Amino acid sequence: MLQPTNYFMHYSLHHIPERTQKPRQVGLTMVMDKGLSVRQVEDLLEVAGDYIDMVKLGWATSYVTANLKEKLAVYQSAGIPTYFGGTLFEAFIIRKQFADYQKLLDKYQMPYAEVSDGSIELPHEEKCKYINELSKQVIVLSEVGSKDAEKILAPYQWIELMQAELQAGAWKVIGEARESGTVGLFRDSGEVRQGLVKEIIHTIPSEKIIWEAPQKSQQVWFVKLLGANVNLGNIAPNEVISVETIRLGLRGDTFTHFLPKDLL
Amino acid sequence: MLQPTNYFMHYSLHHIPERTQKPRQVGLTMVMDKGLSVRQVEDLLEVAGDYIDMVKLGWATSYVTANLKEKLAVYQSAGIPTYFGGTLFEAFIIRKQFADYQKLLDKYQMPYAEVSDGSIELPHEEKCKYINELSKQVIVLSEVGSKDAEKILAPYQWIELMQAELQAGAWKVIGEARESGTVGLFRDSGEVRQGLVKEIIHTIPSEKIIWEAPQKSQQVWFVKLLGANVNLGNIAPNEVISVETIRLGLRGDTFTHFLPKDLL
Amino acid sequence: MLQPTNYFMHYSLHHIPERTQKPRQVGLTMVMDKGLSVRQVEDLLEVAGDYIDMVKLGWATSYVTANLKEKLAVYQSAGIPTYFGGTLFEAFIIRKQFADYQKLLDKYQMPYAEVSDGSIELPHEEKCKYINELSKQVIVLSEVGSKDAEKILAPYQWIELMQAELQAGAWKVIGEARESGTVGLFRDSGEVRQGLVKEIIHTIPSEKIIWEAPQKSQQVWFVKLLGANVNLGNIAPNEVISVETIRLGLRGDTFTHFLPKDLL
């Protein structure tokens, strides 16, 4: 665990937790792009490309961003998989346009797809059928949890849903938080539902879960609980560097977390 | 109403509310630029140019931004009207430099001007004279509401002020909210003064009003009340895409709002 | 005091407080770069370069930002001094790698260094030795105050620490606030500890202090208390223009602050 990493080696510090390297199966950082320009993507990759494992085009922003094709080309040439936000999947489903959605994935050669039901009512069996169907076409991420702050699932329900969706063919399951980090895994205030998370990982291997955690305090909490290589999602582009320092114990909040006792 | 739009047509979804097209008289999105670089403006236009109807150079930022002339040239060549924030108008007025302000509008060939009294005490008759005088030179937006959270106007006062300013020559009137969205139309918490807004639109045609609504919950509220083509202002550059998806029912918050009942 | 400045002179306004010019000893704006790209730095300098006196590479972000060398070259060619955040100093100290830290400053020809103890326990005598040692190599900024919201120092302690650190060789002392502005000088809510600040400046010359003040209300408070040329730190890149307008009485919050009484 506590070996120096050597990614950039501007300089060397002892006792830095080892990070997984690309292509990562764990230690994933999923970034939300809610309308970046081509140059902004290039800038992001210049600074933090090695720490970005996949990019979600937030909700249905891809419907209106004028530069969709050009932007996807930049991500693709950097070897970073992209996918449409789950809300877009839902927008097709509620309109009974699933076949159109499948064509869309082909048209843009999307390597991943997200299946969610955060804004629609979808019988779980049906959701799992979509997961299964899409998993024949792309790598599927499925999301559990509602965008509605009023709809609170009990831990055992989260677990049952996650298990069924993994079994249906999802590569990873995502714990919902929205862009804001105030629903699903979190309370209105952004505070983590700690009991819920601990209950989930008691049953589901944590490497199978991507935790949406847009707020710093949430990222810190997950790194402290699950280590440098926890999977984190809905990270804002300009927070990727911060998240990486939190993972490495190089921000105040996790500063002493990975250090051997004799240094404290 | 419920026709597919065809602006970019990356893909087609049914039951998307029809949006007005440029040059828009309603459905306006006014963006606040508080110090963008030339490249950042180009990036914004690449992604979201079709959804930006006018750009305000926030308060008196134009006094200190080094790239004013070059930046205005970019907006101009994209056909997007610009104007100086109302606080700059007030800065000239309180210093008894109105003639200088008029020259300034000429110097930079500003197509619009904002007349406001958010930070100064200005007898309303005098404000209307400025509106009238400037309306001979440029298109005038006039703003109602104080930047001071303590100064709360009754609804009938908002209405009287708005009516008089439209009569004096304002093209549209703007409801004040600041960059933060916590004064004027909104409470300290950012919550909409719903009764106030409903009272206003009972008398003033809502297409004559631009609602400053920098917070997402505020944008959602106005779209739900007044539809996809409500006029919204003080939108941050990196939120223009989000606002457009909210208008189209393509973000969770308005996801079902425009759908026919038989799909729900 | 109340003379027009002439930095850009897009236009002239009377009664604008005079600002110090570069290289400034007071009226400093210290900006926090937490992972900008080369182009983003260029953009920042295009818009606001004249108002940026020094740039901190926030905490240990420099460990992970891939473009460190190239970015430093841009700042250097613009004549803007840079330094590593204090947390990086602490990361070396807690690992007993002080000699490595000194080599690092040489390697990147860093003109400044920050000495802090916001995340580690460091006897004050030892901290002062580091300040003294580093002051032979670079210009030293030393920071007082913990990143831990629970650790609250009494005003007399702040004063004793600051005096000792200036005496040890610090060029300026920095009042801690974090990126968020919610510790040290400020309460959890971001509210200024007004009594603390007033107590400090009763004894320490305020030009020797850089106040970390990332939130607008904090910047406004300091400008109102200490004038246009107060030293402010931890300013986000996209807030430099706003801070400059606050200093000049050109934003609503300080709009009337510098005006002669007969205009009010």
Side-chain angles (χ1 to χ4, degrees):
Chain A
M1 183 72 173
L2 294 171
Q3 302 300 316
T5 62
N6 65 350
Y7 18 126
F8 289 112
M9 294 307 275
H10 300 314
Y11 47 87
S12 180
L13 281 165
H14 308 323
H15 309 297
I16 301 292
E18 195 169 9
R19 281 279 279 136
T20 49
Q21 300 297 318
K22 284 192 177 186
R24 293 184 184 91
Q25 293 294 312
V26 295
L28 302 169
T29 297
M30 175 266 273
V31 172
M32 184 195 276
D33 172 343
K34 58 179 196 168
L36 296 179
S37 73
V38 165
R39 277 199 297 232
Q40 286 166 339
V41 172
E42 291 170 349
D43 287 353
L44 177 61
L45 300 180
E46 167 194 313
V47 176
D50 277 11
Y51 317 125
I52 300 173
D53 297 287
M54 58 188 86
V55 170
K56 170 166 68 179
L57 305 177
W59 63 102
T61 54
S62 58
Y63 188 78
V64 294
T65 51
N67 63 348
L68 179 58
K69 197 174 158 190
E70 297 76 10
K71 185 163 67 173
L72 289 177
V74 180
Y75 284 123
Q76 197 169 13
S77 78
I80 295 179
T82 50
Y83 62 99
F84 295 119
T87 299
L88 184 63
F89 164 81
E90 298 178 46
F92 277 90
I93 294 304
I94 202 167
R95 288 167 174 82
K96 308 183 190 302
Q97 293 184 249
F98 180 60
D100 291 341
Y101 186 66
Q102 290 191 291
K103 281 180 212 154
L104 177 63
L105 298 181
D106 277 345
K107 179 177 171 187
Y108 288 98
Q109 299 185 288
M110 279 296 196
Y112 289 26
E114 181 179 327
V115 172
S116 61
D117 57 345
S119 300
I120 61 176
E121 298 289 336
L122 191 62
H124 197 241
E125 204 174 321
E126 207 178 324
K127 186 181 179 190
C128 287
K129 276 186 190 164
Y130 286 121
I131 292 170
N132 188 253
E133 189 64 22
L134 285 170
S135 72
K136 298 168 190 165
Q137 186 181 358
V138 293
I139 295 170
V140 174
L141 303 164
S142 75
E143 188 176 68
V144 172
S146 176
K147 292 192 191 303
D148 184 341
E150 306 293 305
K151 290 194 190 156
I152 298 188
L153 300 171
Y156 82 91
Q157 293 172 302
W158 282 77
I159 292 168
E160 285 180 4
L161 296 172
M162 285 178 160
Q163 285 178 321
E165 296 182 14
L166 288 167
Q167 202 160 1
W171 176 54
K172 308 272 180 190
V173 287
I174 299 173
E176 169 72 86
R178 302 205 67 173
E179 186 199 354
S180 54
T182 55
V183 301
L185 300 169
F186 307 100
R187 300 183 211 284
D188 285 3
S189 63
E191 194 196 341
V192 184
R193 293 187 203 276
Q194 304 196 6
L196 168 63
V197 172
K198 288 175 181 172
E199 199 75 20
I200 290 173
I201 60 174
H202 181 68
T203 304
I204 314 270
S206 67
E207 61 265 30
K208 297 304 286 178
I209 305 171
I210 299 173
W211 310 95
E212 290 189 349
Q215 298 185 16
K216 191 185 76 161
S217 62
Q218 300 167 349
Q219 297 150 7
V220 167
W221 189 84
F222 277 108
V223 167
K224 284 186 173 171
L225 184 72
L226 294 169
N229 291 300
V230 61
N231 301 321
L232 296 174
N234 278 17
I235 306 301
N238 64 349
E239 295 296 333
V240 177
I241 288 296
S242 170
V243 167
E244 195 63 24
T245 61
I246 289 168
R247 289 180 183 281
L248 298 178
L250 289 173
R251 193 165 186 180
D253 316 81
T254 57
F255 190 82
T256 56
H257 187 74
F258 297 103
L259 291 177
K261 291 290 164 284
D262 63 297
L263 288 182
L264 300 181
Chain B
M1 182 74 172
L2 292 171
Q3 302 302 316
T5 63
N6 65 348
Y7 19 125
F8 289 114
M9 294 309 275
H10 300 314
Y11 48 86
S12 180
L13 281 166
H14 308 321
H15 309 296
I16 301 292
E18 195 171 7
R19 280 280 279 135
T20 49
Q21 299 297 317
K22 285 192 175 186
R24 293 184 184 90
Q25 293 294 313
V26 295
L28 301 169
T29 297
M30 175 265 273
V31 171
M32 184 195 276
D33 172 342
K34 57 179 197 169
L36 296 179
S37 72
V38 165
R39 276 199 296 233
Q40 286 167 337
V41 172
E42 291 170 349
D43 287 353
L44 177 61
L45 299 181
E46 168 193 312
V47 177
D50 277 10
Y51 317 125
I52 301 173
D53 296 287
M54 58 189 87
V55 170
K56 169 166 69 178
L57 305 177
W59 63 101
T61 54
S62 57
Y63 188 77
V64 294
T65 50
N67 63 347
L68 179 57
K69 197 175 158 189
E70 296 76 10
K71 186 162 65 173
L72 289 177
V74 180
Y75 284 123
Q76 197 170 13
S77 77
I80 295 180
T82 51
Y83 62 100
F84 295 119
T87 298
L88 184 62
F89 164 80
E90 298 178 45
F92 276 90
I93 295 304
I94 202 167
R95 288 166 174 83
K96 307 182 192 303
Q97 293 184 248
F98 180 58
D100 291 341
Y101 185 65
Q102 289 192 292
K103 281 179 212 153
L104 177 63
L105 298 182
D106 278 345
K107 178 177 171 188
Y108 287 99
Q109 300 186 288
M110 280 295 195
Y112 289 24
E114 181 179 328
V115 172
S116 61
D117 57 346
S119 299
I120 61 176
E121 299 289 336
L122 191 62
H124 197 242
E125 206 175 317
E126 207 178 324
K127 187 181 178 189
C128 287
K129 276 186 191 164
Y130 286 122
I131 291 170
N132 188 252
E133 188 64 22
L134 285 170
S135 71
K136 298 167 190 164
Q137 186 181 358
V138 293
I139 294 171
V140 174
L141 303 164
S142 76
E143 188 176 68
V144 172
S146 176
K147 292 192 191 304
D148 185 339
E150 306 293 305
K151 290 192 191 159
I152 298 188
L153 300 170
Y156 81 91
Q157 293 173 302
W158 281 79
I159 291 168
E160 285 180 5
L161 295 172
M162 285 179 159
Q163 284 178 320
E165 297 182 15
L166 288 167
Q167 203 162 359
W171 175 54
K172 308 271 182 191
V173 288
I174 299 172
E176 169 73 86
R178 301 205 68 172
E179 186 200 355
S180 54
T182 55
V183 300
L185 300 169
F186 307 101
R187 299 182 212 285
D188 286 3
S189 62
E191 195 196 341
V192 184
R193 293 187 203 278
Q194 304 196 6
L196 169 62
V197 171
K198 288 175 180 170
E199 199 75 21
I200 291 173
I201 59 175
H202 181 68
T203 305
I204 313 271
S206 67
E207 60 265 31
K208 297 304 286 179
I209 305 171
I210 299 173
W211 310 94
E212 291 189 350
Q215 298 185 16
K216 190 186 75 161
S217 62
Q218 299 166 349
Q219 297 151 7
V220 167
W221 189 85
F222 277 107
V223 167
K224 283 186 174 171
L225 184 71
L226 294 169
N229 290 299
V230 62
N231 301 321
L232 296 174
N234 279 16
I235 306 301
N238 65 348
E239 296 296 334
V240 177
I241 289 296
S242 171
V243 167
E244 195 63 23
T245 61
I246 290 167
R247 290 180 183 281
L248 299 178
L250 290 173
R251 192 164 187 179
D253 315 81
T254 56
F255 190 81
T256 56
H257 187 74
F258 297 103
L259 291 177
K261 289 290 162 285
D262 63 297
L263 288 183
L264 301 181
Chain C
M1 182 73 170
L2 293 172
Q3 303 300 317
T5 63
N6 64 349
Y7 17 124
F8 289 113
M9 295 308 274
H10 299 315
Y11 48 86
S12 180
L13 282 165
H14 308 322
H15 310 295
I16 301 293
E18 195 171 8
R19 281 281 279 137
T20 50
Q21 300 297 317
K22 283 191 175 186
R24 294 185 183 90
Q25 293 295 312
V26 295
L28 302 169
T29 297
M30 176 266 273
V31 172
M32 184 195 276
D33 172 342
K34 57 179 196 169
L36 296 179
S37 73
V38 165
R39 277 199 296 232
Q40 287 167 337
V41 172
E42 292 170 348
D43 287 353
L44 177 61
L45 300 181
E46 168 194 312
V47 176
D50 277 10
Y51 318 125
I52 301 173
D53 297 287
M54 58 190 87
V55 170
K56 170 166 69 178
L57 305 177
W59 62 101
T61 54
S62 58
Y63 189 77
V64 294
T65 50
N67 64 347
L68 179 58
K69 197 175 158 187
E70 296 76 11
K71 185 162 66 172
L72 289 177
V74 179
Y75 283 123
Q76 197 169 13
S77 77
I80 295 179
T82 51
Y83 63 98
F84 295 120
T87 299
L88 184 64
F89 165 81
E90 297 178 46
F92 277 90
I93 294 304
I94 202 168
R95 289 167 174 82
K96 307 184 191 304
Q97 292 184 251
F98 180 59
D100 291 341
Y101 185 66
Q102 289 191 292
K103 281 180 214 154
L104 177 62
L105 299 182
D106 278 344
K107 178 176 172 188
Y108 288 98
Q109 299 186 288
M110 279 296 196
Y112 288 26
E114 180 179 327
V115 172
S116 61
D117 57 345
S119 300
I120 61 176
E121 299 288 337
L122 191 62
H124 197 241
E125 206 174 318
E126 207 177 324
K127 186 181 179 190
C128 286
K129 277 187 190 162
Y130 287 121
I131 292 170
N132 188 252
E133 189 64 20
L134 285 170
S135 71
K136 299 168 191 165
Q137 188 180 357
V138 293
I139 294 171
V140 174
L141 303 164
S142 75
E143 187 176 68
V144 172
S146 176
K147 292 192 191 304
D148 185 340
E150 306 292 305
K151 291 193 191 159
I152 299 188
L153 300 171
Y156 82 90
Q157 293 172 302
W158 281 78
I159 291 167
E160 285 181 4
L161 296 171
M162 285 179 161
Q163 285 178 320
E165 296 182 15
L166 288 167
Q167 203 162 1
W171 175 54
K172 308 270 181 191
V173 288
I174 298 172
E176 169 72 87
R178 302 204 68 173
E179 186 200 355
S180 54
T182 56
V183 300
L185 300 169
F186 307 100
R187 299 182 212 284
D188 286 2
S189 62
E191 195 197 341
V192 184
R193 294 187 203 277
Q194 304 196 6
L196 169 63
V197 172
K198 288 175 181 171
E199 198 75 21
I200 290 173
I201 59 174
H202 180 68
T203 305
I204 314 271
S206 68
E207 60 265 31
K208 297 304 287 179
I209 305 172
I210 298 172
W211 310 93
E212 291 188 349
Q215 298 185 15
K216 190 186 75 161
S217 62
Q218 300 167 350
Q219 297 151 7
V220 167
W221 190 84
F222 277 108
V223 166
K224 284 186 173 171
L225 185 72
L226 295 168
N229 291 300
V230 61
N231 301 320
L232 296 175
N234 279 17
I235 305 302
N238 64 348
E239 296 296 334
V240 177
I241 289 295
S242 170
V243 167
E244 195 63 23
T245 61
I246 289 168
R247 291 180 181 281
L248 299 178
L250 290 173
R251 192 164 187 178
D253 315 82
T254 57
F255 190 80
T256 57
H257 186 74
F258 298 103
L259 291 177
K261 290 291 163 283
D262 63 298
L263 288 183
L264 301 179

